[in-house]
Every structure is written in structure tokens, then in C-alpha cells.
Amino acid sequence: MKTIIIGGGAAGMMAAGVAASNGNKVILIEKNKTLGKKLAITGKGRCNVTNACDDVETLIRNVPQNGTFLYSAFYTFTNAATIRFFEELRVPLKVERGERVFPTSDKSADIVNALRKFCANGNVEFKTAVVSDILTQTGKISGAKLANGEIFNADKVIIATGGLSYPQTGSTGDGYRFARAVGHTIVPPKPSLVPLETTEKWVPELMGLSLKNIAITLTDKAGKTAYTDFGEMIFTHFGVSGPVVLSASAHARGNIDGFKLHIDLKPALTHEQLDLRIQRDFLKYQNKDFKNCLVDLLPQRLIDVIIKLSNIPPELKTHSVTREQRGTLASLLKSLTVTIKGFRPIDEAIITSGGVSTKEIDPSTMQSKLIEGLYFCGEVIDVDAYTGGFNLQIAFSTAYLAGQK
């Protein structure tokens, strides 16, 4: 069987290698000069290949968009299978906080090279070219046409072109166009795992400040909790970013304008415990100005903002701070609140939400229900997950299914 894979990212290379190992003659067509361009920059160049969570149900819970569609894919090629796959290709892996799995070397190039080797072992033919159209005949795949007019005949075409995030790596929505041209429904693409813009004027003052071991709660316009998390975040010139914020963005769908992000700077302490901690610090610095008594409690850059928001005079002697003022300070530290005005642009997103409708794809094979011989895998499908290696697991699991037969 002749198989064409369009897209040489994580999903494309996995699908190509699997198809070749199943006896197919495989051509992988990638418009970039190098394979795995986006994969090489994931996880800040470290590549969070999967998540070592205990079971498939946990994987599904971390896919807020059409997670149940992935049952067959996750059960057929599990996260444990992903770990074995790379270790058998001589890429040692390690598990970090949140069960995130990385190459021991901390080099994404090791993951990219392992996938290239997997393809090369199966004699996959690589071609650098732009595909202009997929070709069908009487409801069945017949091949693909390149931008230069060259035609490749095939019994099977696997679309693994990614979404719209990181367009500089080649993710420019080509797969949506191919799918739409043969009758597929495309759920409108939106940014996911993307930084959030905020309205408060003090936020840009903290640009570059990273906070670790904090908790966040995202609430909607009615004050209802939409998402909670614990971990790291960073302030930017436009708002907030970092792991917990990116995951919050994946959970907040639709119009996020007016949502609020509440940052608990001291999640290990109850309000009462924090008040006792503040009292100890106040006693220690009782003869100093209020502005100088928070050095043990907060990062230096955050102190001026907290003082301003507390409305406690900075020159007030610490021993003169009232109980009510102290309570206001504690409340502020337990819920430093920013107002969300929107998502950053999709080209800044890690993942695209939206894509080819899962209703039109067979979840047990990843074959189109409309066109025989047409398959989809990875980000081009309308599934997306939180941070932590879950999105790459989606790519590998769906690609494994698509490469069968």
C-alpha cells in the first residue's frame, strides 16, 4: 500500500514510521527543510514528550476538548508505550514535577532525532515540498498534488499538518483547507495554552517577575470557579503567562473578557496562619516603615505593588499598622486579583483548539468517515489538552492509529 503523510512534525513522523513498519511504502512530505521544527522548540527546547500519569482516565481528564474521542487512541498507544518507544530508541527519559516526562539530556533534539531514525529504519522517503491539494476519486483517496504540479498517487493519505500555533514553524492551517475541500467540517480554530491579557495598570510594572509555588483560581463573570491550579506563572508587559496560566486558558473557552484570575501567593498557609506569619514579621520590623517590613514575605519587585493595593501608607511605622489593615494585607496575599480582557493572538499559542470535527473521524482508526483512505492525526483534529505532555501524547496516540494497516 502506498501511503502519503503530509506534515513532518511529531504526529507525522510517528505515523510515517508506524505505517512503514506495517509494510507500507511511505512518502513523508514536509514543506520545511527540516523535520520536527515545532517539536524542537517545545518545552523551551526540552520537549515534554508525555505525562507519566497512572491511567487513561487521567489522560482523558486532561483533554478538555473532546477527550472521550481519544479513548481508543490512548488505550491502543498509551503513555507507557510512548516512554518505551523512546527508550527503545536509546533516548533515556526522566519524570519531573506533575509527572511530566522529558529526555534525560533536556534536549528536544534527541526526541526529534529518534523519530527521524524510526522513519529511516522503515525506509520512509522524505520529500521537501508544498502540497497544494489532496486528490480523491469517487469518495476515495487517490493521492496528493504538489504546488509545482507534480502528482503522487497513493492508497492512503494521512494529514498531520498541525494547527495555527507557531506559524513560523510551518503550522499555517493547511490541513484545515485540505479537509474542508473534501467536505469536512472545521471547528473554528482558537488559541489554547496561550498567555492572557489583563487590564490592571500595575501588571506591566512586574514584567518578567516569575512566581513559583503559587495557586491560581480562574473565575467567570458570575464569580463561579472555572479552573484552579498550582505551580508557576510570570507577569508580562501585556498580562500573565506561565504553566498555570496556559492551562487556565485551555479551560476558559469562549469569551473570557471579564474573567478574573486570583493568585494565592501563600497557598501553603491558611488565612489565619498567614496572619500569624505577618504578625511575626511585623514584630521583627516593628520600628521600621511598613514599606520595609515585607522583605521576608515577598519578592522585592512585588512589594511596591502590594503596598499600593493595600492602601496602607508606606511610611507608616509597622507597629502602627491596625488589625484591619493587617487583615487587608493578608487577603491581598491570598487573592491578588487581575482582570482578564482576552487571549493573546493564536500565533503565540502553544496549541490550537478547533480543527477537523471529531464527529467526522472514526476514533478507532482516525480515518475520515467521508473519504475512504483519508486519515487525520495530531493537532489538526479538534482535540487539545492542558500542559504537561498531554498534547504530544495525543499526537503520538492518534498517529499510531492512523499509521495502522
Side-chain angles (χ1 to χ4, degrees):
M1 179 183 288
K2 293 182 179 179
T3 299
I4 292 173
I5 286 87
I6 307 174
M13 285 190 283
M14 176 64 83
V18 171
S21 67
N22 285 323
N24 292 282
K25 181 179 180 181
V26 180
I27 301 175
L28 192 161
I29 305 175
E30 166 58 47
K31 63 183 178 182
N32 289 315
K33 293 181 179 180
T34 58
L35 298 172
K37 194 171 182 180
K38 181 178 178 181
L39 184 61
I41 64 173
T42 60
K44 297 180 180 179
R46 297 177 61 220
C47 195
N48 183 187
V49 291
T50 188
N51 191 282
C53 58
D54 292 337
D55 53 33
V56 168
E57 292 298 331
T58 303
L59 290 176
I60 297 294
R61 284 196 299 272
N62 280 276
V63 185
Q65 185 70 2
N66 296 319
T68 56
F69 170 79
L70 295 167
Y71 268 111
S72 291
F74 281 160
Y75 271 110
T76 303
F77 195 78
T78 65
N79 50 350
T82 297
I83 292 170
R84 286 195 303 272
F85 172 81
F86 285 107
E87 291 188 333
E88 287 173 0
L89 287 169
R90 299 186 178 180
V91 181
L93 302 175
K94 61 181 177 178
V95 180
E96 297 187 358
R97 182 184 59 81
E99 300 301 306
R100 290 167 165 84
V101 180
F102 293 88
T104 302
S105 65
D106 285 327
K107 294 179 180 179
S108 58
D110 290 348
I111 300 299
V112 176
N113 289 335
L115 287 167
R116 289 173 177 166
K117 179 181 178 181
F118 180 50
C119 291
N121 289 345
N123 296 315
V124 172
E125 178 183 346
F126 300 108
K127 186 170 183 64
T128 303
V130 175
V131 175
S132 61
D133 299 283
I134 57 172
L135 305 176
T136 63
Q137 191 171 12
T138 61
K140 185 177 181 180
I141 277 292
S142 61
K145 181 180 179 181
L146 305 187
N148 64 6
E150 189 175 2
I151 291 176
F152 286 84
N153 295 318
D155 307 291
K156 179 176 181 177
V157 169
I158 301 174
I159 296 179
T161 50
L164 286 171
S165 58
Y166 288 109
Q168 68 273 23
T169 65
S171 297
T172 53
D174 297 341
Y176 305 147
R177 177 171 57 83
F178 300 148
R180 189 181 290 112
V182 295
H184 273 282
T185 302
I186 304 300
V187 177
K190 300 175 184 177
S192 185
L193 300 185
V194 67
L196 300 174
E197 297 182 350
T198 58
T199 61
E200 284 73 15
K201 293 182 179 179
W202 55 263
V203 170
E205 298 175 21
L206 300 176
M207 181 177 66
L209 175 63
S210 178
L211 299 177
K212 296 182 179 181
N213 301 319
I214 53 89
I216 58 109
T217 300
L218 184 71
T219 57
D220 62 19
K221 297 173 186 176
K224 183 179 179 182
T225 297
Y227 183 73
T228 61
D229 203 353
F230 174 88
E232 301 177 20
M233 64 165 288
I234 188 170
F235 291 99
T236 71
H237 67 283
F238 55 75
V240 289
S241 187
V244 296
V245 173
L246 298 179
S247 286
S249 76
H251 203 82
R253 301 183 181 274
N255 182 13
I256 197 174
D257 182 25
F259 278 48
K260 292 184 182 295
L261 188 73
H262 309 271
I263 307 164
D264 185 346
L265 299 169
K266 301 294 176 182
L269 302 177
T270 65
H271 196 287
E272 292 74 18
Q273 290 169 333
L274 178 58
D275 183 54
L276 291 174
R277 164 67 193 277
I278 292 172
Q279 290 184 58
R280 289 197 298 271
D281 282 9
F282 278 16
L283 182 61
K284 179 180 178 181
Y285 297 107
Q286 59 182 318
N287 295 318
K288 292 193 175 184
D289 294 343
F290 174 62
K291 66 181 180 182
N292 296 321
C293 75
L294 301 177
V295 292
D296 296 341
L297 198 61
L298 295 169
Q300 186 62 47
R301 291 187 58 198
L302 192 54
I303 291 176
D304 286 344
V305 169
I306 292 296
I307 290 174
K308 187 187 304 181
L309 295 175
S310 73
N311 290 318
I312 301 173
E315 310 297 334
L316 182 68
K317 292 301 179 183
T318 301
H319 62 74
S320 297
V321 175
T322 67
R323 180 179 179 180
E324 289 73 19
Q325 288 173 322
R326 198 177 68 234
T328 298
L329 174 63
S331 295
L332 191 56
L333 299 184
K334 291 296 288 182
S335 184
L336 179 61
T337 302
V338 293
T339 306
I340 308 301
K341 66 178 180 180
F343 301 102
R344 290 297 285 172
I346 197 167
D347 58 3
E348 295 182 26
I350 293 176
I351 289 293
T352 306
S353 176
V356 182
S357 173
T358 56
K359 296 177 182 178
E360 299 167 356
I361 302 173
D362 184 339
S364 63
T365 62
M366 296 299 132
Q367 182 172 208
S368 163
K369 293 180 179 179
L370 309 182
I371 304 294
E372 184 181 347
L374 176 62
Y375 293 73
F376 301 96
C377 60
E379 193 178 348
V380 73
I381 304 171
D382 182 28
V383 287
D384 61 276
Y386 299 137
T387 58
F390 300 104
N391 286 290
L392 273 179
Q393 185 60 50
I394 290 173
F396 296 137
S397 293
T398 56
Y400 184 85
L401 280 185
Q404 297 300 313
K405 294 185 180 179

